Amino acid sequence: MYALNTQIHISPTPLNIQSAIDWIMSPVSGGINVFVGTVRNATKGKPVVRLEFEAYEPMALSEMEKIVNQAAEKWPIQKVLIHHRTGILEVGEVPVIIAVSAAHRAAAFDACRFIIDTLKETVPIWKKEIFEDGEVWVAAHP
């Protein structure tokens, strides 16, 4: 396992994609993979007005750290960034950024996918979709 540098946070303020990319860049990394989740304007053909995210922050941060450690056991990754937003997000806003750097692209791609998929399955962050005619809490699964 390589020495791993991480940046994990949950915030009610807008996420900065360029800042995340600037942080993940490294002269020892030949591969950087960045996943940016955005609020889409419809779910199953039904128009979405906005989303609301809530988190149990202490447990969420702990679970994110576990996910990063699991990824580091599977792939030779060098840096990992996980930023997740809470609060009210409008269509087009960014609720999540995952960034991974590694010496080679395959590890960066595979670890990034693992991190976002596992985050959605295990981290206590809940999403409510608001429609013109109602709202629904959504399971966190992809």
Side-chain angles (χ1 to χ4, degrees):
M1 186 158 69
Y2 294 79
L4 187 62
N5 193 357
T6 63
Q7 187 180 104
I8 301 171
H9 79 254
I10 297 171
S11 173
T13 60
L15 304 181
N16 186 311
I17 298 166
Q18 188 59 55
S19 174
I21 292 170
D22 291 345
W23 184 87
I24 203 74
M25 297 293 289
S26 168
V28 298
S29 299
I32 293 172
N33 189 266
V34 180
F35 171 79
V36 177
T38 60
V39 177
R40 63 183 176 269
N41 65 358
T43 296
K44 299 178 183 171
K46 191 172 181 178
V48 171
V49 174
R50 68 182 180 277
L51 299 181
E52 295 180 12
F53 288 89
E54 293 184 12
Y56 178 51
E57 195 167 326
M59 187 175 180
L61 292 169
S62 175
E63 287 298 311
M64 289 175 181
E65 288 177 20
K66 286 181 192 175
I67 294 167
V68 169
N69 291 332
Q70 291 170 346
E73 290 174 7
K74 295 176 184 237
W75 297 280
I77 54 180
Q78 296 160 334
K79 293 174 85 174
V80 176
L81 174 143
I82 303 175
H83 290 180
H84 207 295
R85 180 107 181 260
T86 55
I88 298 170
L89 282 82
E90 303 297 327
V91 170
E93 289 192 275
V94 176
V96 65
I97 301 171
I98 309 291
V100 179
S101 68
H104 303 284
R105 70 179 176 272
F109 272 107
D110 293 344
C112 191
R113 181 176 198 116
F114 169 81
I115 291 167
I116 187 60
D117 288 350
T118 308
L119 182 148
K120 289 176 74 71
E121 291 173 6
T122 66
V123 175
I125 297 175
W126 302 278
K127 175 174 78 173
K128 186 191 315 183
E129 290 182 322
I130 313 298
F131 305 100
E132 291 176 359
D133 63 350
E135 59 192 42
V136 62
W137 286 100
V138 180
H141 306 292

